[in-house]
Amino acid sequence: MESDSIECVSSIDEIVEDHEIPHHNIQHHPHPRHAPHHQFSSSKPHHNGTNNVNSISNIVGPTAIAPAASVHELLECPVCTNSMYPPIHQCHNGHTLCSTCKIRVHNRCPTCRQELGDIRCLALEKVAESLELPCKYYKLGCPEIFPYYSKLKHEGICIYRPYNCPYAGSECSVVGDIPFLVAHLRDDHKVDMHTGCTFNHRYVKSNPREVENATWMLTVFHCFGQYFCLHFEAFQLGMAPVYMAFIRFMGDETEARNYSYSLEVGANGRKLIWEGTPRSIRDSHRKVRDSHDGLIIQRNMALFFSGGDRKELKLRVTGRIWKEQQNPDANMCIPN
């Protein structure tokens, strides 16, 4: 049986490469077991400052967070290690934990094993109300400081929070900044890297009816100083088998809106064209696919574009990325 392949032609670099696509469905890649220095874990600050607790309300930045950090440790649940929010519970011996973990430990103190009862630690709740802390992503560049109860909400949407690995077809748990993830995609997932904002891919499948619910991350493009991911999927849309291609932006949602892209597929005097805005990798590839935000080609149409006896799929997808701006030369693609 003929191997599946993708032929990648960069219209900037004039590079022609053949890429083998496996017959089986979604690929599960092993997770890296070590964490390079770019990878992020807890950002809880540790500092040996000498300021006393009375100066907590005067904190103005990460360089002055020492007392807040020590108090923040008091507000860390010993079970889940997350910050505790009212109601904060304690046992008869004064050990505290959050309300969620109180249920998980079956009302037994995880420290001394005494029954917890329904005792609230009102003093610690008062301390929490008076506390202001920097965002836990301050080491990644966030300058914001928040009241204790506003901090958690901000951290859920902070633009400096690390990104999840955008690789499609695996449950990769790696997180990091964009430069780290680009290296991770190249080295661990073996994704092709290209410089330039135009592309030309040819997808070949000897028996297209064998492929259902398959997904591939074809290429990462570097253009305009940014990185973009090209995805290609085969799945069922209702009762109809379809193929879908779309681009994601390796950055935040607000930055993604500065760019647009087009995808085109066709043959025999017919073609389909899609134009849109790349979605941020903050949105998972599954979320983008399920929203149908990309070029969708029904299998019968894809086979028509392939020509011949329609038993083999030969689908050529071309595309272009450009930056949206007022400059009349905005659509010019300048190699990096």
Side-chain angles (χ1 to χ4, degrees):
M1 181 180 292
E2 182 179 339
S3 298
D4 308 326
S5 64
I6 289 183
E7 178 183 301
C8 299
V9 181
S10 170
S11 57
I12 293 178
D13 300 322
E14 297 299 326
I15 297 174
V16 180
E17 299 181 4
D18 291 324
H19 303 268
E20 191 171 302
I21 289 293
H23 283 282
H24 45 81
N25 289 351
I26 297 177
Q27 305 298 301
H28 294 276
H29 292 258
H31 301 170
R33 296 193 178 276
H34 61 280
H37 69 280
H38 296 84
Q39 194 165 342
F40 305 108
S41 55
S42 172
S43 300
K44 183 177 69 177
H46 295 279
H47 196 9
N48 294 323
T50 57
N51 294 7
N52 57 40
V53 176
N54 293 330
S55 65
I56 289 175
S57 60
N58 296 323
I59 295 173
V60 294
T63 57
I65 64 172
S70 60
V71 175
H72 186 248
E73 290 177 0
L74 296 176
L75 292 164
E76 184 180 271
C77 174
V79 179
C80 66
T81 70
N82 293 324
S83 297
M84 293 186 289
Y85 295 84
I88 299 175
H89 297 273
Q90 70 175 39
C91 72
H92 291 280
N93 293 323
H95 303 126
T96 58
L97 79 167
C98 70
S99 57
T100 301
C101 290
K102 180 176 183 288
I103 299 172
R104 292 171 57 188
V105 299
H106 306 292
N107 206 37
R108 288 277 175 185
C109 175
T111 303
C112 66
R113 309 306 300 167
Q114 296 294 314
E115 186 172 349
L116 287 167
D118 292 311
I119 305 174
R120 292 271 293 276
C121 186
L122 299 179
L124 200 54
E125 292 180 6
K126 289 288 187 182
V127 170
E129 290 176 359
S130 66
L131 207 58
E132 289 191 346
L133 292 171
C135 170
K136 72 177 180 180
Y137 301 121
Y138 78 87
K139 289 183 179 179
L140 306 183
C142 183
E144 302 293 339
I145 293 177
F146 296 91
Y148 186 72
Y149 294 111
S150 303
K151 178 174 174 287
L152 187 65
K153 183 177 179 180
H154 160 79
E155 288 169 352
I157 60 173
C158 178
I159 63 172
Y160 294 95
R161 70 192 188 278
Y163 296 88
N164 296 320
C165 172
Y167 188 78
S170 73
E171 299 299 328
C172 184
S173 61
V174 170
V175 299
D177 60 13
I178 298 303
F180 167 70
L181 289 180
V182 169
H184 166 67
L185 290 169
R186 180 191 64 228
D187 299 335
D188 298 324
H189 294 298
K190 309 304 180 185
V191 173
D192 290 329
M193 302 283 160
H194 284 280
T195 298
C197 56
T198 60
F199 50 90
N200 188 342
H201 282 283
R202 190 166 67 98
Y203 174 66
V204 178
K205 183 73 177 78
S206 56
N207 187 354
R209 300 185 188 279
E210 290 181 352
V211 179
E212 301 292 348
N213 300 320
T215 177
W216 300 279
M217 186 173 184
L218 300 183
T219 307
V220 169
F221 296 97
H222 183 218
C223 57
F224 305 110
Q226 305 289 345
Y227 290 92
F228 302 81
C229 311
L230 175 63
H231 297 273
F232 189 82
E233 304 215 10
F235 64 100
Q236 289 282 135
L237 183 56
M239 298 298 293
V242 299
Y243 301 96
M244 181 177 178
F246 57 90
I247 287 179
R248 293 161 75 201
F249 174 73
M250 294 189 69
D252 217 54
E253 298 95 330
T254 53
E255 294 180 273
R257 299 190 195 106
N258 296 325
Y259 301 90
S260 296
Y261 73 97
S262 65
L263 296 172
E264 180 178 316
V265 62
N268 302 320
R270 279 86 170 172
K271 63 183 177 181
L272 295 175
I273 299 175
W274 166 268
E275 287 192 1
T277 300
R279 296 279 284 273
S280 166
I281 59 172
R282 296 284 189 205
D283 292 336
S284 69
H285 86 278
R286 182 179 296 275
K287 181 177 180 179
V288 179
R289 186 200 70 184
D290 291 347
S291 66
H292 306 156
D293 192 2
L295 175 65
I296 297 178
I297 314 116
Q298 290 190 351
R299 179 184 287 164
N300 288 339
M301 180 64 73
L303 292 174
F304 173 75
F305 289 151
S306 300
D309 56 8
R310 301 194 181 189
K311 292 183 179 179
E312 183 179 47
L313 188 70
K314 295 180 179 178
L315 199 60
R316 185 176 295 277
V317 180
T318 61
R320 181 172 66 96
I321 303 167
W322 66 90
K323 189 171 184 178
E324 295 287 356
Q325 56 187 27
Q326 298 301 316
N327 189 323
D329 297 327
N331 292 349
M332 292 180 62
C333 180
I334 302 173
N336 292 281

